[in-house]
Amino acid sequence: MQATIARVGGDGIGPDVVAEGVKVLKAVGRLFGHQFEFREGLLGGIAIDQTGVALPPETLALTRRCDAVLLGAVGGPKWSDPRAKQRPEMALLGVRRELALYANIRPVKVYAALINASTLKPEVVKDVDLIILRELTGGLYFGEPKERRGEPPNREAVDTLYYSEAEITRLVRLGFELAQNRRKKLTSVDKANVLETSRLWREITHEVARDFPDVTMEDILVDACSMHLIRRPGDFDVIATENMFGDILSDEASMLAGSMGMLPSASIGANLNRFGRPLGLYEPIHGTAPDIAGLGIANPLATILSSALLLRYSLGLEPEAARVEAAVEKVLQAGYRTKDIVGPGGAITSTSDMGDLVCTHL
Ligand code: IPM
Ligand code: MG
């Protein structure tokens, strides 16, 4: 296969970890006889500095031309003034909207070798293997009106929570499809006791469920779900929810795995690439960690695992994706640890050594 991948490092440790993801993809290419071509794009704070805007039109055009996008992270204290006209987060939200990336897949898996890295008891997290499927282009993030009004002492602000049937249906349908290929359980999360959008969400989820009789479906209210996630996380398989709930629950769920440095994500949508697969954006769920940028100590595994998701969803290369995931598991089993997951007194592996190790364990 010959594929073109946009390489967008972003800010902070973004470029450090993306370099390792690219390294692993190239190694997979050599091993399986694929040609992956990488094209670099600017996004986030670095794009503000160099071009004046967080999401330059050239970057957007680049992502549209490529088969998939591998992204590091965007943001940092330098650009964090909430009143600034250009903010790095705008780039992320802009790409999601422009590429119609409506589905955010966040797998949370606890590796046996890292069972003690979580702040929760090993017996609670030992069987965790779930996916948070978050709606990504609707809800409070994008609903209109969204504005500030009035002057002191009568200032007001409004955000709008809106969902259409089509938006809910496509997300929930994907949730059932994911569950079908896993443990066949879908948990739909809403706040149907209060919100009208949630009542519509629940109604549609039950309708879609009829097409998936092999999948067990349950509804949970979001507050209860946040509790069950730390009480009995092993019971969940696929959790499907709207944008804001998914944002919050996925950070909570990430702590089951001990470190944000381990968790990948895929954002896919309606646009197809040259292979007839979803054009997707793949990124670690962690941020830019500006304090350790360039020091060579960031954990690249979340990005490497994101490149596995890229192989799976955007390129349809399942065996290759599974090989990368297995290699990560082997490297962890062999005892290699970056600083964020090392135990007391353990030896620390650098960012680039970790990338090399995954390549040699492929
Ligand atoms: C995430 C992040 C973003 C979000 C921010 C940076 C806008 O928290 O990807 O989860 O809220 O979606
Ligand atoms: Mg978030």
Side-chain angles (χ1 to χ4, degrees):
M1 164 182 286
Q2 205 182 352
T4 312
I5 298 166
R7 168 184 183 159
V8 184
D11 307 314
I13 58 170
D16 307 359
V17 293
V18 164
E20 303 312 309
V22 169
K23 191 190 271 178
V24 171
L25 285 172
K26 284 183 174 160
V28 168
R30 282 192 298 273
L31 209 59
F32 288 83
H34 303 304
Q35 276 176 314
F36 299 139
E37 197 192 311
F38 294 89
R39 303 254 171 84
E40 209 142 334
L42 284 177
L43 195 80
I46 186 177
I48 296 176
D49 287 352
Q50 293 189 21
T51 74
V53 291
L55 173 54
E58 304 80 51
T59 305
L60 195 55
L62 170 75
T63 57
R64 286 207 169 102
R65 275 200 313 277
C66 289
D67 299 306
V69 183
L70 186 64
L71 173 72
V74 297
K78 187 175 170 194
W79 310 280
S80 67
D81 180 356
R83 282 164 311 182
K85 287 229 162 56
Q86 287 289 324
R87 280 176 290 113
E89 295 75 27
M90 293 162 64
L92 207 52
L93 298 179
V95 174
R96 288 174 184 170
R97 189 186 51 232
E98 293 300 321
L99 298 185
L101 303 172
Y102 65 80
N104 183 217
I105 301 171
R106 296 187 171 184
V108 180
K109 190 176 146 148
V110 173
Y111 291 89
L114 293 183
I115 192 107
N116 292 310
S118 173
T119 49
L120 298 180
K121 295 193 187 100
E123 62 267 31
V124 175
V125 295
K126 72 176 184 341
D127 295 322
V128 169
D129 180 7
L130 60 86
I131 287 181
I132 301 221
L133 175 65
R134 167 189 175 195
E135 201 289 328
L136 204 58
T137 49
L140 282 170
Y141 277 64
F142 295 98
E144 298 283 351
K146 181 181 199 61
E147 62 195 22
R148 273 285 284 265
R149 299 168 183 159
E151 300 296 331
N154 295 309
R155 284 171 289 179
E156 304 176 336
V158 58
D159 292 292
T160 302
L161 179 47
Y162 168 92
Y163 269 108
S164 69
E165 174 162 359
E167 286 174 314
I168 299 170
T169 305
R170 66 186 181 183
L171 193 277
V172 169
R173 191 162 272 286
L174 177 62
F176 279 105
E177 284 163 8
L178 289 172
Q180 248 176 351
N181 292 308
R182 295 172 46 93
R183 301 200 311 279
K184 301 195 177 3
K185 185 169 169 200
L186 181 96
T187 304
S188 173
V189 177
D190 62 38
K191 188 72 184 172
N193 52 349
V194 178
L195 299 175
E196 208 52 56
T197 41
S198 281
R199 285 191 274 272
L200 180 63
W201 184 283
R202 194 173 276 213
E203 191 174 313
I204 291 172
T205 304
H206 283 255
E207 287 164 16
V208 174
R210 288 188 216 126
D211 294 341
F212 299 89
D214 53 331
V215 176
T216 310
M217 197 268 284
E218 64 174 357
D219 309 292
I220 304 196
L221 296 173
V222 63
D223 46 354
C225 183
S226 68
M227 177 183 75
H228 291 302
L229 255 181
I230 49 173
R231 213 185 67 175
R232 48 172 189 92
D235 286 356
F236 292 102
D237 182 13
V238 177
I239 297 177
T241 191
E242 65 93 51
N243 205 342
M244 180 63 107
F245 296 161
D247 180 44
I248 298 168
L249 291 178
S250 61
D251 267 28
E252 185 192 6
S254 74
M255 280 299 101
L256 301 169
S259 171
M260 288 252 215
M262 292 302 302
L263 298 179
S265 80
S267 300
I268 59 176
N271 296 321
L272 302 183
N273 61 22
R274 287 179 301 159
F275 309 110
R277 305 227 162 228
L279 163 63
L281 176 89
Y282 300 85
E283 57 176 323
I285 76 150
H286 62 69
T288 54
D291 51 318
I292 60 164
L295 297 184
I297 56 171
N299 184 350
L301 293 179
T303 307
I304 291 170
L305 291 167
S306 300
S307 56
L309 297 180
L310 183 157
L311 293 166
R312 172 171 298 128
Y313 295 120
S314 280
L315 305 184
L317 301 174
E318 177 57 38
E320 287 84 338
R323 274 284 264 282
V324 173
E325 288 163 348
V328 168
E329 191 140 19
K330 281 186 222 158
V331 168
L332 291 171
Q333 262 155 17
Y336 296 103
R337 302 282 185 274
T338 41
K339 194 162 184 286
D340 56 315
I341 49 176
V342 79
I348 295 174
T349 301
S350 74
T351 308
S352 76
D353 284 351
M354 205 61 162
D356 290 340
L357 283 160
V358 174
C359 293
T360 53
H361 284 77
L362 276 173

